[in-house]
Amino acid sequence: MSMLCLDPVWQAKMDAQVSTILHSPCGQFVYIATYDSLCKLEAGNGKKEVWRKECEECQWEGGIFLALAVSPDGKAVYFGGRDDTLTSVDAETGEQVWKTGELVVGKVLSLAVADGGKTLLAGSVGGFVRVATDTGKVTTETESSSMCNWICCSPDGKHIVTSFIADGKTDLVCWKLPTDSSKHAEEGAVPDAAIDADSDAESSLPTDKPVWERAWTVSLSEQVFAVTLSRCGGMMFLGVGQKVTALDWATQALLWECRREDKVNSITLAQP
């Protein structure tokens, strides 16, 4: 294992704590969610455009903007947070396209786009949500006692990785999605076993719906605040406290760590 040192190309000052940062598929823009604002930056020079700005008190109330996702074609940006809703905005102008009603599962902590861009998956303090990206219709909302603080899709679309935090520890769980993607998109409710990392994967699963099959689980003694997968699918990058940690996808073995001065809340990979 080796410790790396990274030098910044540019730095952009934010007025509140950064919760999520993502690159556009074209690599020209960076989208940043802070506790009280949603911003679009030029990747080459860091020039910032503020799309939305909330009251300063919001950052002390848990953050309006906590989770971000970008559509595969780069035309839409999705976000969620403390107000228990999900919103889609135009990636070029920042104008709202749709907004869901208040979600039963509460504050949204993480987002991922699945089914080739047709479905938005959300992990929250109280469960999982599936939303149709074209209409904003909530197709599935499943409550749970477990909190999912991060969710992401593998580049090939065959796996979902979720992060569960409890008592200062983290369980990373990789789920293999059903091979019948059309059925998964139309009928696939997130099963109970996918919500509780400690549950029996064979129990309480609906037999008439596709099942998320557990591929592997990694238990860490520290809290993981960010999870990102490499584009080739061979590595996972984790934000663990003040470290960026790289794991091998196939074996989950530790490859390297990079220590930072501040807590790592989000990780994004620059476009080639």
Side-chain angles (χ1 to χ4, degrees), residues 187-193 202-212:
E187 305 177 7
V190 178
D192 292 343
E202 301 298 327
S203 65
S204 67
L205 295 179
T207 57
D208 60 337
K209 293 185 180 296
V211 171
W212 284 14

Side-chain angles (χ1 to χ4, degrees), residues 32-241:
I32 297 180
T34 75
Y35 273 14
D36 67 356
S37 65
L38 184 63
C39 306
K40 177 182 179 181
L41 286 74
E42 295 182 17
N45 55 30
K47 182 180 179 181
K48 182 173 65 174
E49 176 186 353
V50 179
W51 276 350
R52 298 187 177 212
K53 179 74 173 179
E54 301 294 337
C55 61
E56 294 182 0
E57 288 77 9
C58 290
Q59 60 178 300
W60 305 113
E61 297 174 2
I64 289 291
F65 308 106
L66 294 177
L68 277 180
V70 182
S71 63
D73 60 10
K75 295 181 178 180
V77 176
Y78 312 103
F79 68 85
R82 184 184 59 84
D83 66 350
D84 302 350
T85 66
L86 291 170
T87 303
S88 172
V89 298
D90 184 277
E92 183 176 352
T93 65
E95 295 181 358
Q96 180 173 306
V97 178
W98 52 254
K99 183 174 184 178
T100 68
E102 187 172 326
L103 302 173
V104 174
V105 296
K107 181 168 63 177
V108 176
L109 301 177
S110 57
L111 292 173
V113 180
D115 299 330
K118 298 178 181 179
T119 302
L120 182 66
L121 299 176
S124 76
V125 295
F128 282 89
V129 178
R130 294 169 54 91
V131 177
T133 56
D134 57 347
T135 63
K137 179 182 178 181
V138 178
T139 57
T140 304
E141 189 168 5
T142 310
E143 294 182 80
S144 170
S145 58
S146 299
M147 180 181 73
C148 175
N149 75 311
W150 207 268
I151 182 170
C152 59
C153 297
S154 62
D156 60 10
K158 297 181 179 180
H159 295 84
I160 297 288
V161 177
T162 55
S163 171
F164 299 89
I165 289 183
D167 301 325
K169 301 179 181 179
T170 302
D171 279 339
L172 291 177
V173 185
C174 176
W175 306 94
K176 184 179 180 180
L177 297 179
T179 54
D180 188 345
S181 60
S182 60
K183 185 178 180 182
H184 176 240
E186 295 174 1
E187 305 177 7
V190 178
D192 292 343
I195 295 173
D196 186 353
D198 297 324
S199 67
D200 183 355
E202 301 298 327
S203 65
S204 67
L205 295 179
T207 57
D208 60 337
K209 293 185 180 296
V211 171
W212 284 14
E213 178 185 349
R214 191 186 305 232
W216 48 257
T217 301
V218 175
S219 297
L220 303 174
S221 60
E222 300 176 89
Q223 290 188 358
V224 172
F225 296 99
V227 181
T228 298
L229 306 181
S230 63
R231 291 184 183 84
C232 65
M235 298 173 64
M236 285 187 299
F237 303 100
L238 312 178
V240 185

